[in-house]
Amino acid sequence: MANTLWHSLTDAAGMLWQTLWALVLGFGLSGAVQAFVSRARMQRALGEASPASLARAGFFGAVSSSCSYAATALAKTLFVRGADFTAAQAFAFASTNLVIELGVVLWLLIGWQFAVAEFVGGALMVALIGLVLPRVVRTDAADVARVGLTADAHGHHGDVEEQPRDPRTMAGWSDAAAYTVGDLTMLRRELVIGFLVAGLLDTAVPLSFWRSLFVNGHGVWSAIENAVLGPFLAIISFVCSIGNVPLAAALWADGIGFGGVLAFVFADLITLPLLVIYRRYYGTRITAKLLAVFWATMSLAGLAVQGLFDAAGIAPASTSRLHKHVGDVTVGWNATSVLDVVALVVLAGIVVLYRQRDRLGAGANLAVDPICGMTVDMTRPGALFVHDDGTTTYFCSDHCKHRFAATAPKSRRPAPS
């Protein structure tokens, strides 16, 4: 038992060692985009479910890469403020799949084919959502959900125009650092759980278990079964966003098909906690429809990308599977070590900028979510509480808001609306 745990930890450490520089790079770029690109512009661009609007949703989602909870909350906010329902959901798909750090980590842990497949599949899912969702969730049903969400919203700061930061100033880069630190803080749980569980799965779960669960050797039928079952593992795993990638590496090493692994990675928008959030936002009926459409879209995308890569002759071969500890890595002075050291120096600089934000005149209209630690723009919060003493607490999403409500001291509970 002790030996298994030790190998699980070394596996997890090895995967972190391989991907540390990519994580810092991705989160740094994401923080800069959040600081320098206006979300109000996104909102105005997503007013319909036209191909052009869906393309804009894909672009804005890609440059606003975030965790699944924050992406879902931002999609809801855009929807409440006038974005088309389908375009808002396409935005969430792009925000969690067309992600630089996700692609780089996939490349490092499993191979370049998975990184390319992530972006091809993400674009395909945005197109499928645009084609299918308007026919399943009608405009009148979406309008009813919008009215309910608007009635629940407090409306504070709704008339304040968000101003993107100036990249020519230190204050602007300090705000970018705040977004980076906030995102890392928010996703620390997903990252830690993802690496630890991946190490445990790779070490402790025998290959025979995965082979009994995921059928192999039956051609197209095996591919279909793997692609349909992949999202189910994501639903019950509770790990979303980039935390899925170490688990995907372990699943691939243990024999799951290419399309099934892709469908698993694509499915971070239908974990059980997010389904509860959808029900709170849109009601039970729309949530059931979203689950059906999302699951089918993720499975079809995984299957289609596998077929496309097979036809092009670039699908990863089964012989490329590690069939060993996916975190095995030679620690030494090599390219990875150099990149990791540079990344740590850059991260230290980001932290210094973040801690000096008051001196640099940064932080205007920014707050910190007290639950997850994410940096929140007060002009466009995912959720907020106005307390009976007149103070306001800002959150990245309703998920964090309700967790706060359950634990807040009685004197800090929100005033009844």
Side-chain angles (χ1 to χ4, degrees), residues 29 107 145 242 400:
L29 290 174
W107 190 321
I242 203 168
C400 289

Side-chain angles (χ1 to χ4, degrees), residues 49-309:
S50 67
S53 182
L54 290 172
R56 290 191 293 267
F59 171 75
F60 285 129
V63 301
S64 303
S65 58
S66 58
C67 85
S68 305
Y69 292 115
T72 300
L74 182 52
K76 182 262 294 184
T77 300
L78 295 172
F79 171 60
V80 169
R81 293 184 173 132
D84 177 79
F85 183 76
T86 297
Q89 303 312 314
F91 172 91
F93 266 79
S95 186
T96 54
N97 287 284
L98 301 177
V99 181
I100 293 174
E101 59 264 36
L102 182 62
V104 175
V105 173
L106 277 168
W107 190 321
L108 292 173
L109 283 184
I110 321 181
W112 67 266
Q113 296 97 329
F114 285 88
V116 175
E118 174 69 21
F119 287 93
V120 173
L124 178 59
M125 287 190 291
V126 169
L128 288 172
I129 287 295
L131 179 66
V132 176
L133 194 58
R135 292 162 174 79
V136 176
V137 179
R138 300 291 184 180
T139 302
D140 54 349
D143 287 342
V144 170
R146 194 197 310 270
V147 170
L149 286 169
T150 304
D152 289 341
H154 292 278
H156 286 74
H157 303 281
D159 56 347
V160 177
E161 179 69 17
E162 175 195 10
Q163 296 296 326
R165 277 66 180 174
D166 187 349
R168 296 170 299 180
T169 66
M170 290 300 294
W173 285 102
S174 182
D175 281 341
Y179 280 113
T180 297
V181 172
D183 285 353
L184 283 168
T185 303
M186 171 183 59
L187 285 172
R188 64 192 186 281
R189 175 177 173 272
E190 266 72 21
L191 288 169
V192 171
I193 292 177
F195 281 116
L196 290 178
V197 173
L200 186 62
L201 289 178
D202 188 49
T203 303
V205 179
L207 183 60
S208 58
F209 173 80
W210 299 115
R211 286 180 171 170
S212 66
L213 189 63
F214 288 86
V215 178
N216 286 297
H218 299 281
V220 66
W221 297 112
S222 295
I224 293 173
E225 189 264 358
N226 282 206
V228 170
L229 198 56
F232 176 72
L233 283 184
I235 292 174
I236 63 176
S237 71
F238 284 71
V239 179
C240 57
S241 303
I242 203 168
N244 267 357
V245 179
L247 296 181
L251 294 174
W252 173 247
D254 284 338
I256 296 177
F258 182 45
V261 173
L262 291 176
F264 169 78
V265 175
F266 293 155
D268 60 346
L269 285 175
I270 55 173
T271 61
L272 281 175
L274 282 172
L275 293 176
V276 174
I277 291 173
Y278 294 144
R279 183 176 179 273
R280 189 177 296 131
Y281 285 170
Y282 309 119
T284 302
R285 186 166 184 174
I286 289 182
T287 297
K289 292 180 177 181
L290 286 177
L291 174 60
V293 172
F294 285 6
W295 193 329
T297 296
M298 294 155 179
S299 295
L300 284 172
L303 195 61
V305 173
Q306 177 176 344
L308 179 64
F309 278 41

Side-chain angles (χ1 to χ4, degrees), residues 385 387-389 393 403-415:
F385 268 166
H387 300 271
D388 53 7
D389 60 3
T393 302
R403 285 183 59 192
F404 179 83
T407 59
K410 191 171 183 180
S411 61
R412 295 284 296 162
R413 299 279 174 88

